[in-house]
Amino acid sequence: MSNQLSNSNQKRPILAKEGWPFIALAVVVALVTGAISFWLGLVFWLVAIFVIQFFRDPTRQAPQGEALVLSPADGRIVAVEEVDDPYAGRRALKISVFMNVFNVHSNQMPVSGRITKVEYFKGKFVNADLDKASIENERNAIVIERADGQIVTSVQVAGLVARRILCYAKVGQELGAAQRYGFIRFGSRVDVYLPLNAKPLVAIGDKVSHTLTVLAELE
């Protein structure tokens, strides 16, 4: 396993490292404005609290099972459908998780396997809740080959407000299910493409939690 990415079983800071500069700036601004005006300071303390909650990054224990596909993100299921997987060149079952600004935005590996492709695409920033966001928005895809040869694709998709996709996975890395591999700032979506014989265990509208929720089971 790569030592560059955190494992779900390892304790990590409560707040994501990606948010430290934003949290520090928000707190400093709140302190300065609070010294000038109580009410203005109160507004910026509320902003600072929002920033802090956005960048929370809890450690979670993943359920065990080689056939389980774990949710790579917190949020709500917005798609469970058969589509073309343009990143692996196949028909696939796509399960999409929409993250609003109140969800944890740390992204985890849905399955264990070797990273065979990492591909970034420039694009638009339409509402990530819309189906067209999967193919039109800025996004970053990783293709994962499991030990049994099955392919799983995980795609980080930017949203209306999200303007920064961070992916730490590299081609050739062997990563475990639930390992932290990326982060998306301020509202977004993750699409997971699975073999057609995968059995979905979630439905549209379901709320899911990264690492804890099982999206599907592979044969």
Side-chain angles (χ1 to χ4, degrees):
M1 294 297 174
S2 166
N3 58 12
Q4 298 178 3
L5 305 184
S6 57
N7 187 285
S8 66
N9 297 327
Q10 296 175 334
K11 282 287 186 179
R12 56 177 181 249
I14 296 174
L15 298 175
K17 61 182 180 180
E18 294 86 355
W20 295 348
F22 297 93
I23 294 170
L25 177 61
V27 170
V28 168
V29 171
L31 287 171
V32 172
T33 55
I36 298 172
S37 166
F38 171 81
W39 294 110
L40 186 60
L42 180 61
V43 170
F44 280 98
W45 272 116
L46 292 175
V47 171
I49 291 171
F50 168 77
V51 173
I52 290 170
Q53 74 81 32
F54 179 86
F55 285 107
R56 66 195 188 280
D57 193 11
T59 301
R60 295 169 178 169
Q61 183 67 44
Q64 300 300 306
E66 288 297 323
L68 304 183
V69 179
L70 307 179
S71 179
D74 281 16
R76 174 173 53 87
I77 301 296
V78 293
V80 180
E81 58 186 342
E82 181 179 329
V83 298
D84 287 324
D85 175 357
Y87 314 102
R90 58 172 178 163
R91 292 291 289 175
L93 171 68
K94 183 181 79 171
I95 300 178
S96 300
V97 181
F98 171 72
M99 295 175 279
N100 64 38
V101 294
F102 298 105
N103 292 131
V104 172
H105 277 61
S106 176
N107 299 143
Q108 328 297 317
M109 290 280 289
V111 296
S112 298
R114 182 173 64 89
I115 307 299
T116 61
K117 181 189 290 187
V118 178
E119 198 168 6
Y120 168 78
F121 300 85
K122 291 183 178 180
K124 300 177 182 179
F125 296 95
V126 301
N127 187 350
D129 200 5
L130 302 176
D131 286 340
K132 64 180 182 180
S134 290
I135 56 175
E136 293 186 6
N137 278 19
E138 178 174 316
R139 58 201 182 279
N140 190 88
I142 62 171
V143 178
I144 308 157
E145 182 178 358
R146 285 166 38 99
D148 60 7
Q150 295 193 78
I151 300 297
V152 173
T153 305
S154 185
V155 187
Q156 299 166 288
V157 183
L160 186 64
V161 181
R163 298 297 169 116
R164 184 70 169 130
I165 295 174
L166 301 172
C167 177
Y168 307 122
K170 305 295 182 184
V171 172
Q173 281 185 312
E174 294 277 350
L175 302 176
Q179 270 194 275
R180 189 180 193 273
Y181 84 89
F183 197 93
I184 314 177
R185 291 181 188 152
F186 302 116
S188 44
R189 170 187 184 125
V190 177
D191 296 326
V192 180
Y193 296 84
L194 304 170
L196 288 176
N197 60 6
K199 177 185 177 182
L201 300 178
V202 292
I204 292 175
D206 287 354
K207 292 184 178 180
V208 299
S209 300
H210 81 63
T211 302
L212 298 178
T213 303
V214 178
L215 297 183
E217 189 171 356
L218 300 175
E219 290 190 354

